[in-house]
Amino acid sequence: MNKPCAIALALLALNGPAFAGDDSPAPTTAAKPAAEAPQTLPLEDLRTFVDVFERIRASYVEPVDDRTLFENAIRGMLSALDPHSAYLNENDYDDLKAATTGEFGGIGIEIGMDDGILRVISPIDDTPAAKAGLQAGDYILKLEGKVVKGMSLNQAVEIMRGPIGQPLKMTVQRKGKEPWDLSIVRGRIETSSIKVKQLEPGFAAIRITQFQTHTGRDLVRELTKLRDNTANPLKGLVLDLRNNPGGVLPAAIDVADAFLDKALVVYTKGRSEDSIQRFEAAEGQVIPGLPLVVLVNAGSASASEIVAGALQDQHRALIAGTTTFGKGSVQTVLPISEKKGIKLTTARYYTPNGRSIQAEGIRPDVVLEAAKVQVLGGYDAFREADLRGHLSNPNEKDKAPAVETPAVVPAEPAKPVEGKKRKKGKAVPEVVSTPADSDATEDKSATAAPKPLSEEDFAMYGALNLLKGALFWQAKLPVTAPVEEKVDVAP
């Protein structure tokens, strides 16, 4: 038997069980027209595939093994379906599991590159790295005997991650000390996708960077801390979903559940009529009635849009920012072996009101574009208190008598420092501390005034102002019953 025929028979054998499954009718098959009967393999196209396979194998400029050709064929078959379906080899499969679960085998440090050398930004508490005594500012010179200088950050991370229980050998140097060798046994590292920031007294922001397996649990924990902080009672919250690419569907349900009370969150619909799955929030909220603003942008996708759409349709939050990405499909990871799998689009999802946001996105209730605020100066404010002989304020009996306000004299422009030239129209750059001079600049950085929120993050500043307004108008809004179900949507 020649090789093309052997390959054709192998493909037919691999597809045999699928044919058998299709021949047994599904519960809804009887109601379907004859045109939807199970299809057979297109033998002519199969012969074309085998012919192309043999031509590549025989004539390509460099030899390619059969495994690579088959994997490339599978990749092409999936990637041609839509932008989100994909073939996952062993590395892709491991990366996806680490990203969605937030767990991996490692030593537990945040790292960065400093002039080509790996620097420890911070060891994570209660991890092997922290227990081994690694400190912020330490330099990692070697990993498994390989010099780190010249590696990319991803290459270094790939070496540092590995099976739980397996030691990682490294050479470390600390400022003022000689390098030393260290062996740290890898453990299970769990990362958190939740970050909390106090905006003002009574107002906080919770940023979700990605929807991982434990995101809902971590969110409830942080909300509970904010709720129980009696010294600084929470008046309003910003849920920041900007640039959140999504994640696992159960995490999105858990996040919405924290703010909803017995209401529909989302439902999915696949090819068959009986494929509708409904996901609802349980009874109770972590902080009932708390004014809530959800901040989104064009980088908010998938699971982020599920949360935003649910809170918008259920009238639980005000959505602010810009229109979201518009990914309205659900992908399912289907294992094809212990180390490989495929990520396949299996359904579309719909918000409680029956909206599909596929290629449209969630439109915000209030548009907040990313912007920079510039204070307009050049004039002096002139008020009633500046008028000669103005009446005093009766509420301030102890106030000193009004005096004539002296004329405002413009400040003399600052003189340039000798020996240094300053370009016209450009500010003198701030001193950026490095590990070598951090001690010398510590006092200066401690006294440097932080940027106001309006300059640091204008969209967040706008969301904060919306929250302050919500303290007045939210209680006056009409009570709307939660949306229960609406599934009369075309497939």
Side-chain angles (χ1 to χ4, degrees), residues 92-105 161 189 191 210 212:
D92 298 332
Y93 204 28
D94 290 341
D95 290 344
L96 181 64
K97 287 190 289 186
T100 55
T101 62
E103 297 179 354
F104 56 90
R161 291 185 179 182
I189 308 301
T191 59
Q210 187 177 6
Q212 299 173 339

Side-chain angles (χ1 to χ4, degrees), residues 152-305:
S152 68
L153 190 60
N154 288 337
Q155 288 172 333
V157 169
E158 188 173 348
I159 296 174
M160 297 175 74
R161 291 185 179 182
I164 297 172
Q166 187 178 70
L168 172 67
K169 296 178 181 179
M170 61 173 63
T171 301
V172 182
Q173 184 174 22
R174 187 170 297 163
K175 184 180 178 182
K177 294 186 177 182
E178 292 294 324
W180 75 94
D181 294 330
L182 187 64
S183 179
I184 303 178
V185 177
R186 295 180 178 93
R188 184 181 301 277
I189 308 301
E190 181 178 323
T191 59
S192 176
S193 58
I194 302 292
K195 298 180 180 179
V196 182
K197 178 181 180 179
Q198 287 289 337
L199 302 176
E200 285 185 6
F203 297 94
I206 292 183
R207 170 159 172 73
I208 302 179
T209 57
Q210 187 177 6
F211 287 87
Q212 299 173 339
T213 303
H214 304 301
T215 297
R217 178 202 66 187
D218 295 344
L219 173 66
V220 171
R221 182 180 61 226
E222 296 299 336
L223 286 174
T224 303
K225 290 180 183 178
L226 292 171
R227 180 194 64 192
D228 296 341
N229 184 5
T230 56
N232 182 23
L234 191 63
K235 301 176 184 177
L237 179 71
V238 177
L239 184 63
D240 189 359
L241 300 180
R242 291 175 297 175
N243 299 318
N244 183 322
V248 294
L249 179 60
I253 309 302
D254 292 341
V255 168
D257 189 10
F259 301 104
L260 295 175
D261 186 8
K262 295 182 66 175
L264 181 64
V265 176
V266 68
Y267 66 90
T268 63
K269 187 177 178 66
R271 289 171 63 178
S272 61
E273 294 296 328
D274 59 348
S275 64
I276 295 175
Q277 287 185 293
R278 302 175 69 252
F279 301 91
E280 298 183 353
E283 185 175 1
Q285 302 178 34
V286 180
I287 309 180
L290 179 72
L292 180 64
V293 172
V294 180
L295 200 53
V296 296
N297 65 2
S300 306
S302 193
S304 299
E305 296 171 295

Side-chain angles (χ1 to χ4, degrees), residues 421-474:
K421 294 183 179 180
R422 183 175 178 178
K423 294 183 179 180
K424 185 177 180 181
K426 292 188 177 181
V428 177
E430 296 179 352
V431 176
V432 180
S433 63
T434 63
D437 60 10
S438 58
D439 295 336
T441 60
E442 185 175 356
D443 293 336
K444 293 181 181 180
S445 61
T447 58
K451 285 186 177 181
L453 185 61
S454 58
E455 294 183 16
E456 180 185 357
D457 189 343
F458 178 74
M460 183 65 74
Y461 175 72
L464 174 61
N465 288 330
L466 288 174
L467 275 180
K468 292 178 178 178
L471 295 177
F472 296 94
W473 52 254
Q474 190 177 50

